[in-house]
């Protein structure tokens, strides 16, 4: 009966782990979708303001051309009425653009935190497997320490590994350079 209890307990633990992971992924996806929706909304607002400003630019251009055609001169024209109308829109556009930048930074930071949390979970999972293998005498203490040190270095160098991956994604380094740098960081 002891073996059956262990199997039942292991299955229960696995089920709970999957349920917890699913809940975390679901909530993270909902937050990300909400942030992306807000980002799209802000960018849409900037586009609307740009269209309105373009209409003002066209009106200023028309006034200038009309003045040049009437007088044959090319001095300045009076567009202060349009500039007064444009000023609040330009201010609002700058505010929204700054909000977009802040939101994009926040999304990026949350993404990095999720990736770091995932790296920590991978490390803890690897450590758990190694602990179990050591307890069952599947691996020696030396093998355990070597493999655990590699997993720990991978977690400790998470940000540098992430930077190397970004360099590769941006075609700044080759696949071989990426693999060599990551190997140097993890072994």
């Amino acid at each position: 009966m002891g073996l059956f209890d262990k199997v039942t307990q292991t299955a229960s633990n696995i089920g709970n782990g999957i349920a917890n992971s699913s809940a975390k992924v679901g909530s993270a996806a909902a937050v990300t979708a909400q942030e992306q929706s807000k980002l799209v909304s802000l960018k849409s607002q900037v586009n609307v303001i740009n269209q309105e400003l373009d209409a003002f630019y066209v009106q200023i251009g028309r006034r200038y051309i009309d003045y040049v055609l009437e007088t044959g001169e090319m001095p300045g024209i009076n567009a202060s009425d349009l500039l007064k109308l444009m000023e609040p829109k330009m201010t609002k556009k700058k505010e929204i653009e700054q909000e977009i930048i802040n939101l994009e930074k926040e999304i990026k930071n949350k993404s990095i935190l999720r990736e770091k949390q995932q790296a920590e979970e991978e490390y803890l999972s690897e450590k758990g497997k190694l602990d179990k293998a050591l307890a069952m005498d599947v691996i020696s203490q030396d093998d355990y320490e070597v493999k655990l040190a590699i997993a720990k270095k991978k977690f400790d160098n998470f940000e540098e590994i992430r930077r190397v991956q970004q360099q590769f994604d941006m075609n700044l380094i080759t696949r071989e350079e990426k693999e060599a740098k990551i190997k140097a960081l993890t072994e």
Side-chain angles (χ1 to χ4, degrees):
M1 201 61 178
L3 177 62
F4 181 73
D5 290 339
K6 287 182 183 179
V7 169
T8 303
Q9 181 64 35
T10 301
S12 175
N13 289 343
I14 291 171
N16 289 339
I18 290 171
N20 288 340
S21 295
S22 297
K24 288 178 185 175
V25 168
S27 66
V31 168
T32 300
Q34 191 175 31
E35 290 168 339
Q36 291 296 334
S37 176
K38 183 175 181 180
L39 187 61
V40 167
S41 173
L42 290 173
K43 287 183 177 182
S44 176
Q45 288 178 27
V46 168
N47 287 337
V48 168
I49 291 172
N50 280 336
Q51 290 173 355
E52 292 172 350
L53 289 173
D54 286 343
F56 286 122
Y57 295 141
V58 168
Q59 288 179 26
I60 291 171
R62 282 189 186 136
R63 285 187 185 179
Y64 186 77
I65 296 298
D66 289 345
Y67 182 81
V68 168
L69 291 175
E70 285 178 23
T71 65
E73 298 175 8
M74 296 193 65
I77 61 166
N78 185 10
S80 60
D81 59 329
L82 292 176
L83 293 175
K84 285 180 184 175
L85 293 172
M86 289 174 67
E87 188 176 333
K89 293 190 181 300
M90 293 177 84
T91 302
K92 180 69 175 174
K93 178 183 172 188
K94 285 181 183 177
E95 290 172 0
I96 292 172
E97 287 173 338
Q98 187 59 48
E99 193 174 344
I100 288 171
I101 290 169
N102 293 339
L103 184 59
E104 286 175 338
K105 281 182 186 177
E106 183 180 330
I107 290 170
K108 182 179 178 187
N109 289 339
K110 285 181 180 180
S111 175
I112 291 170
L113 285 175
R114 281 191 297 272
E115 289 175 17
K116 188 161 185 145
Q117 182 180 9
Q118 182 180 2
E120 183 178 13
E121 289 173 2
E122 288 172 5
Y123 165 72
L124 293 175
S125 172
E126 184 68 20
K127 184 178 183 319
K129 287 192 286 187
L130 290 171
D131 288 343
K132 184 176 179 180
L134 181 64
M136 294 173 61
D137 289 327
V138 174
I139 60 173
S140 68
Q141 182 69 32
D142 291 338
D143 288 341
Y144 171 83
E145 290 172 5
V146 167
K147 291 180 184 283
L148 186 61
I150 290 172
K152 180 78 170 137
K153 280 182 87 175
K154 186 176 180 181
F155 173 67
D156 290 343
N157 293 323
F158 164 78
E159 289 184 25
E160 190 59 35
I161 291 170
R162 191 173 173 283
R163 252 186 242 113
V164 169
Q165 182 63 45
Q166 287 177 331
Q167 291 172 0
F168 174 72
D169 292 344
M170 295 174 70
N171 294 321
L172 299 174
I173 60 173
T174 65
R175 180 177 301 281
E176 292 78 22
E177 289 174 312
K178 176 190 95 165
E179 291 171 0
K181 286 182 177 187
I182 290 177
K183 185 175 182 179
L185 289 169
T186 58
E187 293 180 3

